[in-house]
């Protein structure tokens, strides 16, 4: 089979159904692309290992960029919330949800890391 195109935003899937959604997530995960958007929502699949995508290079890369312009990343979500807070002068909220062991605490740590940087 030819390699399938992967979509970094599930809203872009030509045929959006449970099968294509799961296939896309599986295909991205195999490439160690653990982040996928659904519009402005970020889906994260816990790789249960450290990936080298949380260093100062990535902090700088996602600084002041629109959501969706770069590959999905938790830093992008943190940065959009931060800049919305500055521009609108209103508090912002990021909801982190998931099953036990899904990586919520680690995701929170990555968000805080980006915000403090």
């Amino acid at each position: 089979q030819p390699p399938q195109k992967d979509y970094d935003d599930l809203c872009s899937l030509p045929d959006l159904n449970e099968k294509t959604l799961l296939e896309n997530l599986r295909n991205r995960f195999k490439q160690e692309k653990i982040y996928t958007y659904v519009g402005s929502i970020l889906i994260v699949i816990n790789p249960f290992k450290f990936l080298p995508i949380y260093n100062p290079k990535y902090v700088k890369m996602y600084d002041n960029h629109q959501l969706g312009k770069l590959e999905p990343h938790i830093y992008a979500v943190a940065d959009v919330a931060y800049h919305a807070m500055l521009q609108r002068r209103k508090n912002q909220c990021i909801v982190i949800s998931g099953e036990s062991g899904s990586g919520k605490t680690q995701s929170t740590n990555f968000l805080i890391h980006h915000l403090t940087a």
Side-chain angles (χ1 to χ4, degrees):
Q1 287 184 351
Q4 294 178 339
K5 177 179 180 348
D6 75 82
Y7 295 86
D8 62 3
D9 188 337
L10 295 177
C11 293
S12 301
L13 282 170
D15 185 22
L16 180 58
N17 58 55
E18 184 178 357
K19 182 177 186 256
T20 58
L21 184 146
L22 292 173
E23 284 175 354
N24 189 69
L25 290 173
R26 185 179 300 111
N27 186 34
R28 290 181 58 76
F29 184 77
K30 286 179 183 176
Q31 300 172 62
E32 295 188 337
K33 295 178 181 179
I34 61 168
Y35 295 113
T36 305
Y37 291 125
V38 182
S40 63
I41 297 169
L42 183 67
I43 294 176
V44 184
I45 300 176
N46 190 345
F48 295 101
K49 66 179 180 180
F50 186 79
L51 297 176
I53 57 173
Y54 305 105
N55 58 46
K57 170 187 154 196
Y58 282 85
V59 170
K60 190 172 186 172
M61 185 180 357
Y62 284 92
D63 183 33
N64 208 13
H65 274 83
Q66 272 186 305
L67 210 60
K69 294 291 181 187
L70 298 171
E71 190 72 22
H73 199 289
I74 197 147
Y75 288 173
V77 173
D79 197 70
V80 165
Y82 175 72
H83 286 286
M85 180 185 68
L86 293 177
Q87 291 169 350
R88 298 176 188 158
R89 298 181 188 266
K90 292 194 176 200
N91 293 336
Q92 299 295 301
C93 176
I94 298 172
V95 177
I96 299 176
S97 174
E99 298 287 330
S100 177
S102 63
K104 297 180 299 294
T105 301
Q106 193 64 46
S107 290
T108 302
N109 290 338
F110 291 138
L111 276 166
I112 292 169
H113 172 77
H114 185 77
L115 292 172
T116 56

